[in-house]
Amino acid sequence: VEHAHALTFSNVLRHHFNYGRGALHFHSVRARRGWQRLTIDPKFYLHLFSYPFSHVHGARAFLFEGLFMLSYVAYTGGFFWEKVNRTMVEHA
């Protein structure tokens, strides 16, 4: 099976935004089923955001770091966008 997405800048950001939207749904389903909340391990994010500086040299490390940050901003934006819109629908 071949699975690929067009890797334009806007498509990547849109994709991560939609990942965030899906994450809210995922966590909502887990909560409805009474499953234990997932915990965040800060070491994971420390490693993730420090990775470019230990594996890429020079200005490219900052470029990769910036792209990581933008992807997480898009992800977080999608999560909260979905939460706000879901709340608005529930209260309508």
Side-chain angles (χ1 to χ4, degrees):
V1 172
E2 187 173 320
H3 182 83
H5 298 280
L7 293 178
T8 66
F9 185 73
S10 62
N11 284 350
V12 169
L13 290 181
R14 187 178 316 110
H15 204 78
H16 282 271
F17 183 86
N18 288 329
Y19 279 150
R21 293 180 64 201
L24 179 67
H25 179 70
F26 171 76
H27 290 288
S28 298
V29 168
R30 285 182 59 86
R32 278 196 307 271
R33 292 179 179 175
W35 293 357
Q36 182 179 10
R37 288 180 62 134
L38 297 175
T39 59
I40 297 173
D41 181 3
K43 289 185 280 185
F44 170 79
Y45 290 99
L46 179 63
H47 177 71
L48 179 69
F49 289 114
S50 65
Y51 183 86
F53 297 106
S54 61
H55 290 78
V56 181
H57 301 288
R60 291 188 71 198
F62 288 98
L63 175 63
F64 279 107
E65 183 69 20
L67 292 173
F68 272 145
M69 294 296 242
L70 282 174
S71 73
Y72 273 89
V73 166
Y75 178 94
T76 304
F79 186 92
F80 285 109
W81 185 89
E82 190 69 22
K83 187 159 184 70
V84 165
N85 283 306
R86 183 179 292 182
T87 303
M88 291 173 65
V89 168
E90 290 171 355
H91 289 93

